[in-house]
Amino acid sequence: RFPGQLVDLPESLQKLAIERKITIATAESITGGYISKLITDEPGSSTILKESFVVYSDEAKTHKITSNSDIKD
């Protein structure tokens, strides 16, 4: 279970993103989409979350997401 601060973060993130007129995209691996889940649990999240990728295998990270091979793990 995550500490309260992390669980409360999506609401704060959404408020800040709306205030600053920015959107969010995520690329997750070991979290398995949990960050996106936390964001989308918040009503109105579609106004800030534009896309989310879960790329777990090294092959997916290499072919689907541009990243430095040193940060795959």
Side-chain angles (χ1 to χ4, degrees), residues 22-26 39-40 44-53:
I22 61 173
T23 58
I24 297 168
T26 66
I39 294 170
T40 58
S45 60
S46 63
T47 61
I48 64 161
L49 184 65
K50 294 302 172 190
E51 55 191 352
S52 177
F53 300 92

PDB file of all heavy atoms in Angstrom, residues 22-26 39-40 44-53:
ATOM      1  N   ILE A  22      -1.575  22.550 -18.841  1.00  0.00           N
ATOM      2  CA  ILE A  22      -0.689  21.536 -19.396  1.00  0.00           C
ATOM      3  C   ILE A  22      -1.383  20.180 -19.401  1.00  0.00           C
ATOM      4  O   ILE A  22      -2.365  19.975 -18.689  1.00  0.00           O
ATOM      5  CB  ILE A  22       0.650  21.442 -18.614  1.00  0.00           C
ATOM      6  CG1 ILE A  22       0.414  21.070 -17.156  1.00  0.00           C
ATOM      7  CG2 ILE A  22       1.435  22.739 -18.733  1.00  0.00           C
ATOM      8  CD1 ILE A  22       1.683  20.789 -16.370  1.00  0.00           C
ATOM      9  N   THR A  23      -0.873  19.280 -20.220  1.00  0.00           N
ATOM     10  CA  THR A  23      -1.380  17.912 -20.244  1.00  0.00           C
ATOM     11  C   THR A  23      -0.250  16.960 -19.871  1.00  0.00           C
ATOM     12  O   THR A  23       0.922  17.337 -19.854  1.00  0.00           O
ATOM     13  CB  THR A  23      -1.942  17.544 -21.633  1.00  0.00           C
ATOM     14  OG1 THR A  23      -0.914  17.718 -22.609  1.00  0.00           O
ATOM     15  CG2 THR A  23      -3.154  18.406 -21.972  1.00  0.00           C
ATOM     16  N   ILE A  24      -0.634  15.718 -19.618  1.00  0.00           N
ATOM     17  CA  ILE A  24       0.314  14.722 -19.132  1.00  0.00           C
ATOM     18  C   ILE A  24       0.259  13.490 -20.028  1.00  0.00           C
ATOM     19  O   ILE A  24      -0.813  13.074 -20.469  1.00  0.00           O
ATOM     20  CB  ILE A  24      -0.038  14.326 -17.690  1.00  0.00           C
ATOM     21  CG1 ILE A  24       0.091  15.536 -16.767  1.00  0.00           C
ATOM     22  CG2 ILE A  24       0.823  13.170 -17.199  1.00  0.00           C
ATOM     23  CD1 ILE A  24      -0.504  15.330 -15.398  1.00  0.00           C
ATOM     24  N   ALA A  25       1.422  12.913 -20.259  1.00  0.00           N
ATOM     25  CA  ALA A  25       1.543  11.603 -20.893  1.00  0.00           C
ATOM     26  C   ALA A  25       2.482  10.794 -20.005  1.00  0.00           C
ATOM     27  O   ALA A  25       3.427  11.339 -19.437  1.00  0.00           O
ATOM     28  CB  ALA A  25       2.111  11.721 -22.298  1.00  0.00           C
ATOM     29  N   THR A  26       2.207   9.517 -19.863  1.00  0.00           N
ATOM     30  CA  THR A  26       3.072   8.682 -19.036  1.00  0.00           C
ATOM     31  C   THR A  26       3.641   7.526 -19.848  1.00  0.00           C
ATOM     32  O   THR A  26       3.031   7.064 -20.808  1.00  0.00           O
ATOM     33  CB  THR A  26       2.324   8.090 -17.818  1.00  0.00           C
ATOM     34  OG1 THR A  26       1.330   7.177 -18.280  1.00  0.00           O
ATOM     35  CG2 THR A  26       1.694   9.168 -16.968  1.00  0.00           C
ATOM     36  N   ILE A  39      -4.123   8.501 -11.660  1.00  0.00           N
ATOM     37  CA  ILE A  39      -4.569   9.737 -12.315  1.00  0.00           C
ATOM     38  C   ILE A  39      -6.012   9.595 -12.798  1.00  0.00           C
ATOM     39  O   ILE A  39      -6.836  10.481 -12.592  1.00  0.00           O
ATOM     40  CB  ILE A  39      -3.628  10.121 -13.480  1.00  0.00           C
ATOM     41  CG1 ILE A  39      -2.244  10.494 -12.931  1.00  0.00           C
ATOM     42  CG2 ILE A  39      -4.217  11.267 -14.312  1.00  0.00           C
ATOM     43  CD1 ILE A  39      -1.176  10.652 -13.994  1.00  0.00           C
ATOM     44  N   THR A  40      -6.342   8.464 -13.434  1.00  0.00           N
ATOM     45  CA  THR A  40      -7.682   8.298 -14.005  1.00  0.00           C
ATOM     46  C   THR A  40      -8.746   7.980 -12.961  1.00  0.00           C
ATOM     47  O   THR A  40      -9.942   8.052 -13.262  1.00  0.00           O
ATOM     48  CB  THR A  40      -7.700   7.227 -15.116  1.00  0.00           C
ATOM     49  OG1 THR A  40      -7.239   5.984 -14.581  1.00  0.00           O
ATOM     50  CG2 THR A  40      -6.847   7.662 -16.289  1.00  0.00           C
ATOM     51  N   GLY A  44     -12.605  13.830 -14.029  1.00  0.00           N
ATOM     52  CA  GLY A  44     -12.119  14.908 -14.894  1.00  0.00           C
ATOM     53  C   GLY A  44     -10.709  14.698 -15.409  1.00  0.00           C
ATOM     54  O   GLY A  44     -10.143  15.571 -16.059  1.00  0.00           O
ATOM     55  N   SER A  45     -10.149  13.529 -15.158  1.00  0.00           N
ATOM     56  CA  SER A  45      -8.754  13.285 -15.550  1.00  0.00           C
ATOM     57  C   SER A  45      -8.526  13.333 -17.056  1.00  0.00           C
ATOM     58  O   SER A  45      -7.416  13.594 -17.508  1.00  0.00           O
ATOM     59  CB  SER A  45      -8.276  11.938 -15.002  1.00  0.00           C
ATOM     60  OG  SER A  45      -9.076  10.891 -15.522  1.00  0.00           O
ATOM     61  N   SER A  46      -9.576  13.125 -17.836  1.00  0.00           N
ATOM     62  CA  SER A  46      -9.400  13.157 -19.298  1.00  0.00           C
ATOM     63  C   SER A  46      -9.019  14.540 -19.795  1.00  0.00           C
ATOM     64  O   SER A  46      -8.537  14.682 -20.918  1.00  0.00           O
ATOM     65  CB  SER A  46     -10.660  12.668 -20.009  1.00  0.00           C
ATOM     66  OG  SER A  46     -11.744  13.531 -19.727  1.00  0.00           O
ATOM     67  N   THR A  47      -9.196  15.560 -18.973  1.00  0.00           N
ATOM     68  CA  THR A  47      -8.785  16.900 -19.382  1.00  0.00           C
ATOM     69  C   THR A  47      -7.271  17.081 -19.303  1.00  0.00           C
ATOM     70  O   THR A  47      -6.731  17.977 -19.940  1.00  0.00           O
ATOM     71  CB  THR A  47      -9.447  17.992 -18.510  1.00  0.00           C
ATOM     72  OG1 THR A  47      -9.047  17.821 -17.155  1.00  0.00           O
ATOM     73  CG2 THR A  47     -10.958  17.945 -18.625  1.00  0.00           C
ATOM     74  N   ILE A  48      -6.600  16.227 -18.546  1.00  0.00           N
ATOM     75  CA  ILE A  48      -5.145  16.392 -18.411  1.00  0.00           C
ATOM     76  C   ILE A  48      -4.343  15.206 -18.931  1.00  0.00           C
ATOM     77  O   ILE A  48      -3.232  15.377 -19.396  1.00  0.00           O
ATOM     78  CB  ILE A  48      -4.722  16.692 -16.952  1.00  0.00           C
ATOM     79  CG1 ILE A  48      -5.043  15.526 -16.026  1.00  0.00           C
ATOM     80  CG2 ILE A  48      -5.342  17.976 -16.468  1.00  0.00           C
ATOM     81  CD1 ILE A  48      -4.276  15.529 -14.724  1.00  0.00           C
ATOM     82  N   LEU A  49      -4.869  13.980 -18.859  1.00  0.00           N
ATOM     83  CA  LEU A  49      -4.113  12.800 -19.291  1.00  0.00           C
ATOM     84  C   LEU A  49      -4.405  12.523 -20.755  1.00  0.00           C
ATOM     85  O   LEU A  49      -5.524  12.174 -21.123  1.00  0.00           O
ATOM     86  CB  LEU A  49      -4.458  11.574 -18.453  1.00  0.00           C
ATOM     87  CG  LEU A  49      -3.652  10.319 -18.773  1.00  0.00           C
ATOM     88  CD1 LEU A  49      -2.176  10.513 -18.454  1.00  0.00           C
ATOM     89  CD2 LEU A  49      -4.197   9.110 -18.021  1.00  0.00           C
ATOM     90  N   LYS A  50      -3.395  12.696 -21.597  1.00  0.00           N
ATOM     91  CA  LYS A  50      -3.591  12.526 -23.037  1.00  0.00           C
ATOM     92  C   LYS A  50      -3.257  11.125 -23.522  1.00  0.00           C
ATOM     93  O   LYS A  50      -3.879  10.617 -24.438  1.00  0.00           O
ATOM     94  CB  LYS A  50      -2.765  13.559 -23.815  1.00  0.00           C
ATOM     95  CG  LYS A  50      -3.252  14.972 -23.581  1.00  0.00           C
ATOM     96  CD  LYS A  50      -4.714  15.095 -23.967  1.00  0.00           C
ATOM     97  CE  LYS A  50      -5.301  16.422 -23.579  1.00  0.00           C
ATOM     98  NZ  LYS A  50      -6.731  16.487 -23.724  1.00  0.00           N
ATOM     99  N   GLU A  51      -2.249  10.493 -22.935  1.00  0.00           N
ATOM    100  CA  GLU A  51      -1.904   9.128 -23.327  1.00  0.00           C
ATOM    101  C   GLU A  51      -1.043   8.492 -22.259  1.00  0.00           C
ATOM    102  O   GLU A  51      -0.413   9.167 -21.457  1.00  0.00           O
ATOM    103  CB  GLU A  51      -1.203   9.085 -24.675  1.00  0.00           C
ATOM    104  CG  GLU A  51       0.026   9.950 -24.775  1.00  0.00           C
ATOM    105  CD  GLU A  51       0.513  10.075 -26.210  1.00  0.00           C
ATOM    106  OE1 GLU A  51       0.011   9.378 -27.108  1.00  0.00           O
ATOM    107  OE2 GLU A  51       1.409  10.890 -26.433  1.00  0.00           O
ATOM    108  N   SER A  52      -1.057   7.160 -22.288  1.00  0.00           N
ATOM    109  CA  SER A  52      -0.290   6.406 -21.306  1.00  0.00           C
ATOM    110  C   SER A  52       0.202   5.122 -21.949  1.00  0.00           C
ATOM    111  O   SER A  52      -0.545   4.450 -22.658  1.00  0.00           O
ATOM    112  CB  SER A  52      -1.192   6.078 -20.111  1.00  0.00           C
ATOM    113  OG  SER A  52      -0.494   5.301 -19.178  1.00  0.00           O
ATOM    114  N   PHE A  53       1.446   4.810 -21.718  1.00  0.00           N
ATOM    115  CA  PHE A  53       2.046   3.600 -22.261  1.00  0.00           C
ATOM    116  C   PHE A  53       2.575   2.745 -21.117  1.00  0.00           C
ATOM    117  O   PHE A  53       3.191   3.274 -20.194  1.00  0.00           O
ATOM    118  CB  PHE A  53       3.231   3.930 -23.183  1.00  0.00           C
ATOM    119  CG  PHE A  53       2.856   4.779 -24.357  1.00  0.00           C
ATOM    120  CD1 PHE A  53       2.951   6.165 -24.272  1.00  0.00           C
ATOM    121  CD2 PHE A  53       2.395   4.214 -25.530  1.00  0.00           C
ATOM    122  CE1 PHE A  53       2.610   6.965 -25.346  1.00  0.00           C
ATOM    123  CE2 PHE A  53       2.050   5.011 -26.616  1.00  0.00           C
ATOM    124  CZ  PHE A  53       2.156   6.386 -26.518  1.00  0.00           C
TER     125      PHE A  53
END
